[in-house]
Amino acid sequence: MERFSFGVLAAAMLALWLEQLPPVIPLAILFCAALLCWRHTALYCGALAYLLSLSLQFAWQMQSVQQIVAEHSTEVCGQVVSLPRQFVESSRFILQLSDDCAEKQQIGAGGRLELRWYAEAGQVLPVIKAGQQWRLPVRIKPVRGLANPGSPWREANALVDGILAVATVSSATGAQLLQDTPSVRQQLAEQFAGCCQQYAAYPLWLALTIGERPFSAELWQGVQHAGLAHLLSISGMHIALLFALCLMFKPLLAQLGLREPWRSLCLWSLALAAAWFYAALAGFAVPTLRAVLTLSVVVLLRLLWHRASIWQFSWLVSACLLLLWPFLLLSFSFWLSATALAVLALLEWQHPQQPGARALLWRFVLFQCGFSLLLLPVGLLLFQGIAPFALWVNLLVLPLMTLLGIPLLLLLFGIMCLGLGVAPWCWQLLDALYWPLLWLLDRAGQADGWWSVPALPWQCSLLLLPALLLLWCCRGRWQLAAAALFLPVFLPIVLPIMVPVQLSQASQNGSETTLLLHLLDVGQGSAAVLQQGDAALVIDLGPAYGPVSATRQVLLPFLRYQGIRQLDYVLISHDDSDHSGDWPTLRARYPTAQLVSDIRRLAPRFHCTDLPKQWRGVRLQAIRAGSYRPEPANEDSCALLLDTGHHRVLLPGDIGAREDALAASTGPVDVLVLGHHGSKTASSLRFLQALQPKLALVSSGYQNQFGHPAPETRARLGLLQIPLLNTADSGYIRLDLSDTTVRYQLFRPRRFARWLENSVTDAETVVANE
C-alpha cells in the first residue's frame, strides 16, 4: 500500500503541471491492465487511479457547468446550506440543488450554486436562513475569478468546494419559499449571537465554534501577522483536540462496568461522533471534513487492531483523501496539512516521547521550532511571505488556548447546545481569558509583521527544503556543511525584505532600473500600479460597492505580494465607483501616500494638474480634458501620460467624447489603456490614428453587462493592426518599461493546473519599439 499511496501523491503533484487532463477511457484501460500485475505495478496503479478519479470528476463537473450555464435564465430549487451573509442591499449564500423540491429534473443536482440576491427598488430582501428551501428564478454565469498575484484562485476554490456556477436572483416576485425550517447550525448561531454578541472575543468564539469568521480588516491583519490563522479557524488541530478530550472519559466508562473490547468501541465511537458533530457545526468546511475523514481512518485502524507507523499512516491518509476528493490538489490547506503531517512524523521519529513535565515542555518548544523551520519553504511557495513573529506568538498562545481557551469555550458552547443555561459570569471570565490574545492580535496588526517576498519563483522555495532538512537532521560537522548549503539559498530571499530602507534609497538614486506597470484584474473597473523597487504610484483603485471592495480584496494583497512598502502618490481619475474604490482603506495601510484627484469629498493633497512632473526618473503629465468639477464624471477624468524616456503610456480614465483634446495634448504613445473600458463611444478611429499605439490594454469584467470592449472598438483596433490585451481573458498584465522594448506578461497562462484555465496563448511576448 505504501507504493500505491506514493503513486497517488506523485500523480497529484504531476497533475498541477498538465496542460490537459488525459481522457477517461484510455486511463481506465491502463488502470485495469496495471491491476493484473499488482505486485509489480502498485506505484503505477496509484498514479493511474488518481488521474482516473480526477478526470472522471472534472468531466462531470464541466458537463454540469456547461449544461446549467447554457440555459442562461432558468429556475433552480434547493436548500440553503451556508450561513447567509446579509447586507443592506444584498444577500449571499450557497444553494445546494435538489430534485426533491423541483418540478422537473435539475441539471447538476447535488451540486452547489453561489447565489447573490440584490434588493430591487422599493423592496426589502427576505431574511435568508440556512436550512430553508427556495425555488428561485436566476441568471447563471460560470465561476470566473479575478486573476492577480497574491489573490485567491477562485476557480480552484470553487472546484474544491463543489461550486458549479454563480447565480443572481433575477426577480424577487418569482421567488418562492418552500420550507422555512432553519438548520441546527443556523439555530445555534442565532442562539450564540443572542447571548454573547456583546463580548469583545465573540468573533474569535464564533470562528472556533460555528466556523464563521466575522473579523474586521484590522483583526484579519493581526491574525496574519501573528501567524495564527490555523488557530482561529476550525481545522484538524481543533477536531483532534475535541477528539482527545472525549477520550478522557475512559475512566467513566470503566466505572459503568464496560469491559474490553466494548469499552474501546464505545469510547472511540463517541469521540468520532463528537468530531463529526463539530465538523457539521462548521458547515463541513474543507479543513474540517478532511480532519474527520482522517480520524475515521484512525478509528478504523484502531478497531481492526491494525498497527501502522506514522509514516505509513501519513501516506495512506493523504492517498485516500486525494482519491475520494481529487480536487484537493488545488487546495493550499491540503498541501500545508500534508507537509505538517510529514514534519510531525519526522520530529516524532527524531525525538520520541519521554516522561516528565520538563521533557514535555522541551518537546513542545522543539516541535514548534521544527514546524516553523521546516514549513518555511511551503509558506514561501504558497503565501509568498514570512510572518517573523509567528514562532514566538505560537509559543506563547498555543499552550494557553489549547489547555484552557478552546476546551473551556467548547465546554460552555456544548452546555448551551444541550439547552442548559450558562451563567453570564462564565462568559465574562472566558472573555477575560481571551483578552491577552485580542491584545496580541491588535499589536501584531499594527506592527510590520509580514515580510513579503515579491514574485518568488517556486524553484527557490523547493531548493530550501533539502537544505533545511539537512540543517535540522545533521549533527556536528555535517550540520556546518548543511548551513553552508542553506545560507546561499536563504539569504538572497530574506535579505531584500529585511533591508527595505537601503533598497528604497537605491531606487531614489537611480540604482534600481526595473520599472514595471501593473494593470490589475479588478473586473469591471480599473486599477494600475507603476512600480520601481519597493516604491509605487497607484492610478485608480478599482470598484467598491456594498461588500465588494477591489481596493481591499485585490489592490492591497497585490501591493503586499510585490513587496511595495512606500506608496508615494495615488491618482483617482474621476468620481465613479469602479475607479474611485475605497480610498480610506488604502490610506490606513499607507498613511504617507498623497492623493491626487479632483474629487473634493476625498480631500486630495493635489488637484489633477498639480501632480508633480517627475517621479523617480519618470516624467508625469496629468491632463484634464475638461474644466475643473468637484465631482468629476467620465468626460472630466484626469488622464495620465507616463514617459520613461523609452516608452510613453497613456491612461485616459473614462474619457470618450473629449478624446480629440486629449490626443492634442499627448501626441503618439507606445501603449494605450483604452478609455471607458473599451466602450464603443471611446477609442475612435481618429483618436487611435493620432496616438498610433503599438499595444492596447483594456480592463473589463468577464461577460460584463455592457459588452466591453465593444465589437466596434475591437474592429477599429483590428483595422489598424493594434494588438489588444484584455484583463477579462488574460488576468493581470505586467509591462516591463525598463528596456527599449515593451515586454508584457499575462497571469492566467502562467498559473499551475493549466487544464483548469481558459487561457490565452503566448504567456510572454515582446512588442518592439519601432
Side-chain angles (χ1 to χ4, degrees):
M1 286 300 294
E2 289 185 22
R3 287 188 296 171
F4 179 84
S5 302
F6 185 76
V8 172
L9 291 172
M13 288 186 284
L14 173 66
L16 291 172
W17 305 94
L18 294 178
E19 295 280 340
Q20 290 183 344
L21 291 181
V24 173
I25 295 178
L27 278 176
I29 295 173
L30 289 175
F31 178 67
C32 294
L35 282 177
L36 298 177
C37 304
W38 167 262
R39 294 184 59 184
H40 305 287
T41 59
L43 180 69
Y44 302 106
C45 282
L48 292 171
Y50 175 75
L51 291 176
L52 181 59
S53 176
L54 177 63
S55 297
L56 279 171
Q57 295 200 32
F58 187 68
W60 177 86
Q61 182 92 1
M62 291 301 100
Q63 182 180 3
S64 299
V65 170
Q66 291 171 3
Q67 290 177 349
I68 199 170
V69 170
E71 296 190 17
H72 298 293
S73 297
T74 186
E75 186 178 73
V76 297
C77 182
Q79 185 177 45
V80 180
V81 293
S82 68
L83 293 181
R85 298 177 60 195
Q86 301 275 5
F87 304 98
V88 177
E89 296 180 350
S90 65
S91 180
R92 299 188 174 199
F93 53 94
I94 303 297
L95 188 78
Q96 184 162 2
L97 301 177
S98 173
D99 284 331
D100 297 338
C101 57
E103 297 178 352
K104 62 178 182 178
Q105 185 178 3
Q106 288 202 117
I107 300 171
R112 297 182 174 188
L113 293 180
E114 185 179 302
L115 223 79
R116 303 170 183 177
W117 195 338
Y118 296 100
E120 299 177 0
Q123 294 185 352
V124 180
L125 283 175
V127 178
I128 309 296
K129 295 184 178 182
Q132 292 177 337
Q133 285 189 352
W134 284 87
R135 182 179 291 117
L136 299 168
V138 295
R139 294 188 302 271
I140 297 177
K141 292 174 59 175
V143 177
R144 182 77 167 187
L146 305 178
N148 297 284
S151 295
W153 191 357
R154 193 179 178 198
E155 295 94 324
N157 294 336
L159 272 181
V160 175
D161 296 332
I163 304 296
L164 295 178
V166 178
T168 303
V169 177
S170 57
S171 173
T173 56
Q176 183 181 1
L177 177 60
L178 303 177
Q179 181 178 331
D180 191 10
T181 305
S183 65
V184 174
R185 188 178 181 227
Q186 178 76 52
Q187 296 176 29
L188 291 176
E190 294 175 354
Q191 185 180 355
F192 196 32
C195 71
C196 299
Q197 198 167 12
Q198 69 273 20
Y199 296 107
Y202 171 72
L204 305 183
W205 297 348
L206 195 63
L208 293 170
T209 52
I210 303 295
E212 292 291 313
R213 292 186 282 184
F215 296 169
S216 63
E218 295 76 15
L219 186 56
W220 267 117
Q221 185 167 315
V223 169
Q224 186 176 47
H225 288 185
L228 292 178
H230 66 287
L231 179 66
L232 297 176
S233 62
I234 302 178
S235 60
M237 185 188 76
H238 304 81
I239 301 288
L241 178 61
L242 178 63
F243 187 83
L245 290 174
C246 292
L247 293 181
M248 296 175 64
F249 286 95
K250 186 174 183 178
L252 178 61
L253 294 179
Q255 291 182 1
L256 293 177
L258 287 177
R259 296 182 178 181
E260 294 291 351
W262 302 108
R263 186 191 307 170
S264 295
L265 178 62
C266 292
L267 183 66
W268 287 78
S269 300
L270 174 66
L272 186 60
W276 276 98
F277 178 73
Y278 195 14
L281 277 180
F284 288 117
V286 173
T288 61
L289 189 56
R290 195 172 59 232
V292 294
L293 289 174
T294 302
L295 283 176
S296 300
V297 175
V298 172
V299 172
L300 181 62
L301 293 176
R302 172 76 179 186
L303 295 180
L304 294 176
W305 297 96
H306 180 79
R307 294 186 176 274
S309 68
I310 191 169
W311 288 104
Q312 293 172 327
F313 175 75
S314 302
W315 295 121
L316 178 62
V317 167
S318 299
C320 290
L321 289 175
L322 284 170
L323 286 175
L324 294 173
W325 203 350
F327 298 137
L328 280 179
L329 89 155
L330 302 172
S331 171
F332 285 177
S333 63
F334 169 76
W335 293 110
L336 195 61
S337 299
T339 308
L341 197 59
V343 170
L344 178 64
L346 176 64
L347 296 175
E348 181 69 26
W349 169 68
Q350 275 197 310
H351 306 280
Q353 189 170 0
Q354 297 178 358
R358 180 178 297 181
L360 182 63
L361 178 61
W362 172 246
R363 181 183 175 86
F364 169 73
V365 174
L366 195 65
F367 272 50
Q368 282 301 316
C369 293
F371 270 106
S372 299
L373 185 64
L374 297 177
L375 288 179
L376 177 63
V378 181
L380 287 173
L381 178 63
L382 299 182
F383 307 112
Q384 295 84 38
I386 304 170
F389 310 128
L391 172 61
W392 314 109
V393 172
N394 277 272
L395 286 173
L396 293 174
V397 170
L398 272 181
L400 176 65
M401 289 294 102
T402 304
L403 298 177
L404 286 176
I406 297 177
L408 288 177
L409 173 62
L410 294 180
L411 176 63
L412 294 180
F413 186 77
I415 294 174
M416 187 198 74
C417 291
L418 294 174
L420 305 176
V422 178
W425 61 267
C426 295
W427 296 115
Q428 294 170 6
L429 286 177
L430 188 63
D431 190 53
L433 180 63
Y434 275 75
W435 179 86
L437 177 58
L438 287 170
W439 179 85
L440 191 61
L441 292 175
D442 180 63
R443 292 297 179 270
Q446 297 176 10
D448 188 11
W450 181 263
W451 292 349
S452 177
V453 182
L456 176 70
W458 63 268
Q459 295 91 338
C460 294
S461 298
L462 294 185
L463 282 175
L464 276 176
L465 188 58
L468 285 171
L469 286 173
L470 289 174
L471 187 64
W472 182 264
C473 299
C474 295
R475 296 292 181 269
R477 295 179 180 178
W478 289 106
Q479 196 167 37
L480 294 177
L485 177 64
F486 168 73
L487 291 177
V489 180
F490 182 71
L491 287 181
I493 295 175
V494 179
L495 192 59
I497 59 178
M498 297 179 65
V499 287
V501 176
Q502 288 82 345
L503 290 179
S504 180
Q505 291 175 351
S507 299
Q508 293 177 1
N509 295 333
S511 301
E512 175 63 62
T513 58
T514 302
L515 184 67
L516 302 173
L517 178 65
H518 311 279
L519 186 63
L520 303 185
D521 181 11
V522 292
Q524 190 64 18
S526 180
V529 178
L530 182 65
Q531 177 189 3
Q532 189 178 80
D534 68 338
L537 181 153
V538 170
I539 306 101
D540 285 336
L541 307 181
Y545 48 89
V548 176
S549 171
T551 309
R552 183 181 68 253
Q553 297 162 352
V554 175
L555 181 58
L556 280 176
F558 175 78
L559 294 176
R560 187 188 66 187
Y561 173 85
Q562 290 295 124
I564 294 174
R565 297 172 178 268
Q566 181 176 340
L567 204 56
D568 295 324
Y569 301 106
V570 176
L571 186 147
I572 300 179
S573 61
H574 63 291
D575 197 10
D576 262 3
S577 60
D578 61 335
H579 290 251
S580 57
D582 188 1
W583 162 241
T585 298
L586 185 63
R587 180 178 53 192
R589 178 63 182 87
Y590 294 93
T592 61
Q594 301 184 67
L595 179 63
V596 181
S597 180
D598 287 340
I599 306 175
R600 180 185 297 174
R601 62 181 174 81
L602 297 180
R605 173 68 175 82
F606 299 104
H607 288 298
C608 172
T609 53
D610 297 330
L611 175 70
K613 306 302 181 185
Q614 291 279 339
W615 179 81
R616 298 175 178 261
V618 180
R619 290 189 292 273
L620 307 177
Q621 182 182 356
I623 306 166
R624 185 193 297 138
S627 58
Y628 168 75
R629 293 180 58 184
E631 296 179 357
N634 288 350
E635 297 299 333
D636 308 305
S637 294
C638 180
L640 179 64
L641 176 66
L642 307 174
D643 190 345
T644 69
H646 296 297
H647 310 286
R648 290 162 57 86
V649 182
L650 178 62
L651 298 96
D654 279 351
I655 293 177
R658 296 176 179 171
E659 286 180 337
D660 292 340
L662 179 62
S665 302
T666 61
V669 299
D670 299 295
V671 180
L672 171 66
V673 179
L674 296 185
H676 205 190
H677 316 288
S679 164
K680 66 179 181 180
T681 59
S683 304
S684 66
L685 187 61
R686 183 168 55 184
F687 178 70
L688 294 174
Q689 289 174 330
L691 294 185
Q692 303 174 13
K694 300 176 179 63
L695 178 66
L697 312 178
V698 63
S699 178
S700 66
Y702 179 69
Q703 292 187 359
N704 63 84
Q705 59 181 325
F706 309 104
H708 295 161
E712 296 87 343
T713 303
R714 290 178 180 271
R716 291 193 288 265
L717 292 170
L719 179 64
L720 298 177
Q721 297 184 349
I722 301 173
L724 173 65
L725 301 178
N726 186 359
T727 58
D729 300 323
S730 62
Y732 145 87
I733 303 170
R734 189 185 81 173
L735 297 181
D736 187 346
L737 305 176
S738 304
D739 205 350
T740 56
T741 57
V742 177
R743 297 180 179 271
Y744 66 81
Q745 288 185 357
L746 312 180
F747 184 66
R748 282 192 185 276
R750 299 175 63 87
R751 295 206 282 192
F752 291 122
R754 289 284 298 275
W755 47 269
L756 184 56
E757 289 287 356
N758 250 342
S759 58
V760 296
T761 57
D762 297 331
E764 184 170 352
T765 310
V766 177
V767 178
N769 185 14
E770 299 175 352

